[in-house]
Amino acid sequence: MRKALDQARSKNGDREYAVGCTLFESTDDIEPIRIGPVVTEARHQWLDRMVAEQKFGKVMAKRISRKWAGGKLAKRKNAVDQIREKDVLTIVGACPFVCSVKTTGLPPESGKQKAITASRMALAVVALAWDKPSSALDGFRLLIDQNLRQLRVLTFEPGKVTLAGSKLSHLPSGYTFKSGEWQVQAGRLAPLFAAAGEVLDFVTHATGRVSRPALNNVLMQAVLWFHEACREAIDAMAVVKFVAVLDGLACGNGEPEIRALLTARVGWGDDDNIYKSGELKMKHAVARLYGEGRSRTAHGTSERLSQDWSDMRGLAETLSRLALLGCLHWFKKNSSEDDPAQLRVR
């Protein structure tokens, strides 16, 4: 049976999926970011690579570059070439970067869905470099995940004249780096990208039969939950998802094992303070997040769901980010290990 399945998969062959994305403000001096099967590169670099790999002809590439520069294009005689150019211009859009994912042995639609998932997870991994990844991710988006939004709501107060104002989300780009600054950052992040790359290879693998399936599975779900939590618009739901990251890394064993995880991978003892102000100990923070933040909300028994959850969301994001970073770095250092329980061992 396995031999027959492998033969069927071999007919699917290799594919590469690509979609435009936002990342940094400038594309200058930004080398391609490779995380496993996912490559995020400036669109001019991507276009040059497509020509080098003979996926586009030089004429097509020249016309696409001209259009990106604001020029006008004459209609092509070859209808297929005309359609292909239109596809590129639509799918990359005004995005300064392109996110590409290579797959092997996957059916077309399944490969496409896995490629999209891996792309989103790769952006979340890049965002881990910032203290507040959710803010970074607001400027890191695939084109298919919608463009700039402007939230405007009319507000009326008795005896006052109020203006609507506005709040932007789904920003068109992320951070701006000075020349050479990202290279330094990328060098520092290389071990993280290597660890996450193995996880994303697992995401796009045709069979899941890899060298460390148990740990890859745990880390895959953690990164996916982290991405979803950062994107979540409702604070209470974001807390549930951030705690799912912690609970997943603790193998679903609840509050005591989450504390053990934070001790092993972050270095916090139960009575250590989370903040410099000394107002919250680690054990109390975990109890609050796991009890009120996760369990009661998920089970529909919370008595404070209508309250302000922004502080709890910030706490959950901080703890899950540090735990995920710690686990990925441990995963990279312990290349022969495949027991998720070891993530909680100091």
Side-chain angles (χ1 to χ4, degrees), residues 110-189:
S110 174
K112 184 187 300 181
Q113 293 305 316
K114 286 195 172 192
I116 291 170
T117 298
S119 298
R120 290 169 177 153
M121 293 170 70
L123 293 178
V125 170
V126 176
L128 283 169
W130 281 266
D131 290 339
K132 191 175 181 182
S134 56
S135 293
L137 270 176
D138 199 40
F140 302 171
R141 288 184 179 273
L142 302 180
L143 183 61
I144 57 176
D145 290 331
Q146 302 179 335
N147 293 322
L148 177 70
R149 293 181 185 175
Q150 188 174 37
L151 179 64
R152 297 176 64 87
V153 179
L154 289 172
T155 305
F156 299 93
E157 295 181 48
K160 291 185 179 180
V161 176
T162 60
L163 301 176
S166 65
K167 180 181 179 181
L168 295 177
S169 68
H170 296 62
L171 300 179
S173 63
Y175 295 88
T176 299
F177 291 97
K178 297 177 182 177
S179 179
E181 189 176 358
W182 171 249
Q183 279 75 359
V184 175
Q185 183 86 314
R188 185 178 65 82
L189 295 171

Side-chain angles (χ1 to χ4, degrees), residues 208-221:
R209 297 199 297 269
V210 298
S211 60
R212 297 196 281 173
L215 271 170
N216 270 292
N217 187 51
V218 166
L219 291 168
M220 173 191 71
Q221 294 183 66

